[in-house]
Amino acid sequence: MGKHNGPHVSVIVPNYNYARFLNQRIDSILNQTYTDFELILLDDASSDNSRAVLEQYRSNPHVSHVVINDVNSGGVFYQWERGLALASGELIWIAEADDYAAPEFLAKCVAELDAHPDTVVCQTGANCVNEHGDFTPEERFDMWAREGGVYRVSGGDYIRDHLRWRNSLYNASGVVFRRSAVTPDMFDDIRGYKCCGDWLFWTKMAERGGVSVIREKLSFFRRTSSSVSAVCPSFEDVKVMMWLYDRGHFKPHSVDLYVAIGHAVRREHKFVDAEALEIIRTRCGVSNHVFCYYVFIIVRAVDNIHRGIFFAWHRKM
């Protein structure tokens, strides 16, 4: 690898109306034990006092850009793309404005990526907190075989075992990735997504290299009633599933495909809206979504007994 004269890491903070969380977010970045980073602060025409909060940090030596939009871009993934265009670091951390991180988060992710050049994505676990900063232990997203150590796997295996079934890289704030793995067309079919675009983004990244999961909770994932995942259009997960199907990650008329469709039906409370059903019907020739739902129920019951040996929404990392 050639010598890189800029910061090793670019930290991108995309913000929209999260002024009440911004100080904690930015301070948790500036307090990282790893310090070779630039900080890119983006605001998407917030209507609260976000601009005033961001301006407090403009003179900080880590801050390389403060970009405040006059007009809202229409989606968070436009801001991801904008931040990446400004970034000069070899590694990228998209630190969502309402989350925060433990001081050692960046050091441990950078060490893992530097030690394993074929790995393109590194994730840590997260503690879930509410808008008041209180822990919500009933919300758990990390499916680990045990605490500690690193789960390290090829990108293809990670897609097969995890990303085919759910967005296991559930919180961008808990992920550091390689900028070199982001292709110019990466966002072409992602920009319009409201919430599942990150699922598609991580899947595309995993097609380009390995994935490491540090089994430590080093990020704090804030969940509020206004969180993007709480207002997600119902058919976006089906669109991601069809992208996976088109890329060959599901075989036509396979049990895997039926289970994935049944899983989507379950997520929509046993019903999928008309647009999603039409996508499934026209793209993979499956019209009986109720049959798929019962296939999912049966396979899941067997899978519970075998601890995820067949399908990986139960499989531990």
Side-chain angles (χ1 to χ4, degrees):
M1 182 181 297
K3 183 176 176 58
H4 182 74
N5 293 322
H8 191 37
V9 181
S10 293
V11 185
I12 300 165
V13 178
N15 173 70
Y16 178 66
N17 282 344
Y18 280 136
R20 63 197 185 278
F21 303 130
L22 273 175
N23 286 124
Q24 184 179 32
R25 164 78 282 179
I26 297 171
D27 289 346
S28 80
I29 296 167
L30 297 175
N31 290 330
Q32 289 294 299
T33 59
Y34 184 88
T35 60
D36 186 13
F37 65 86
E38 66 172 339
L39 181 53
I40 299 169
L41 302 174
L42 307 177
D43 183 76
D44 204 7
S46 292
S47 58
D48 62 8
N49 67 324
S50 291
R51 179 169 188 162
V53 177
L54 293 175
E55 289 294 346
Q56 297 172 10
Y57 296 93
R58 186 181 288 273
S59 62
N60 187 283
H62 282 290
V63 174
S64 59
H65 302 275
V66 179
V67 181
I68 298 174
N69 290 346
D70 293 325
V71 178
N72 185 270
S73 68
V76 67
F77 302 110
Y78 289 98
Q79 292 293 84
W80 283 31
E81 190 174 19
R82 178 70 178 276
L84 281 163
L86 295 172
S88 59
E90 298 174 348
L91 304 179
I92 303 294
W93 176 20
I94 295 178
E96 302 284 6
D98 54 337
D99 300 328
Y100 56 104
E104 64 273 24
F105 167 82
L106 198 52
K108 292 194 174 186
C109 290
V110 170
E112 173 66 17
L113 287 163
D114 285 351
H116 300 278
D118 293 335
T119 296
V120 298
V121 172
C122 179
Q123 178 196 39
T124 77
N127 289 296
C128 290
V129 298
N130 63 21
E131 57 189 316
H132 306 295
D134 301 320
F135 288 95
T136 54
E138 69 276 7
E139 288 194 285
R140 294 177 295 172
F141 295 90
D142 298 312
M143 301 181 68
W144 297 338
R146 61 182 176 84
E147 295 275 343
V150 179
Y151 173 82
R152 194 177 296 118
V153 68
S154 71
D157 286 348
Y158 192 82
I159 293 171
R160 183 197 65 205
D161 291 343
H162 303 288
L163 284 174
R164 284 200 304 171
W165 311 106
R166 65 186 182 98
N167 184 12
S168 49
L169 296 164
Y170 56 89
N171 176 222
S173 294
V175 179
V176 178
F177 60 93
R178 292 192 192 280
R179 184 163 61 101
S180 60
V182 180
T183 59
D185 62 349
M186 181 73 83
F187 288 92
D188 285 355
D189 51 357
I190 290 177
R191 297 184 189 96
Y193 279 77
K194 296 299 182 184
C195 65
C196 289
D198 58 340
W199 185 1
L200 184 52
F201 180 86
W202 301 130
T203 306
K204 290 183 176 186
M205 290 291 290
E207 287 191 329
R208 292 161 171 78
V211 176
S212 290
V213 178
I214 298 172
R215 291 186 291 241
E216 298 180 53
K217 293 183 181 294
L218 302 176
S219 181
F220 295 84
F221 181 26
R222 198 182 304 271
R223 304 267 288 167
T224 70
S225 59
S226 61
S227 295
V228 171
S229 57
V231 293
C232 180
S234 60
F235 60 88
E236 283 196 1
D237 55 353
V238 174
K239 290 170 65 177
V240 174
M241 184 177 66
M242 291 299 95
W243 184 91
L244 286 158
Y245 175 79
D246 291 342
R247 297 283 291 182
H249 295 294
F250 290 108
K251 293 182 179 179
H253 299 290
S254 64
V255 174
D256 287 24
L257 178 62
Y258 295 155
V259 168
I261 294 171
H263 193 198
V265 171
R266 177 182 179 272
R267 285 195 297 268
E268 303 307 325
H269 308 290
K270 303 184 183 180
F271 299 96
V272 181
D273 66 30
E275 182 173 355
L277 284 175
E278 186 60 24
I279 291 172
I280 292 170
R281 186 178 297 113
T282 58
R283 298 280 281 279
C284 51
V286 176
S287 58
N288 192 341
H289 66 282
V290 176
F291 168 76
C292 293
Y293 173 73
Y294 286 112
V295 170
F296 164 74
I297 293 297
I298 293 168
V299 171
R300 186 183 65 164
V302 174
D303 216 29
N304 272 328
I305 297 171
H306 292 278
R307 298 188 180 185
I309 196 170
F310 299 115
F311 298 100
W313 60 84
H314 297 122
R315 189 167 297 162
K316 308 297 185 183
M317 297 183 190

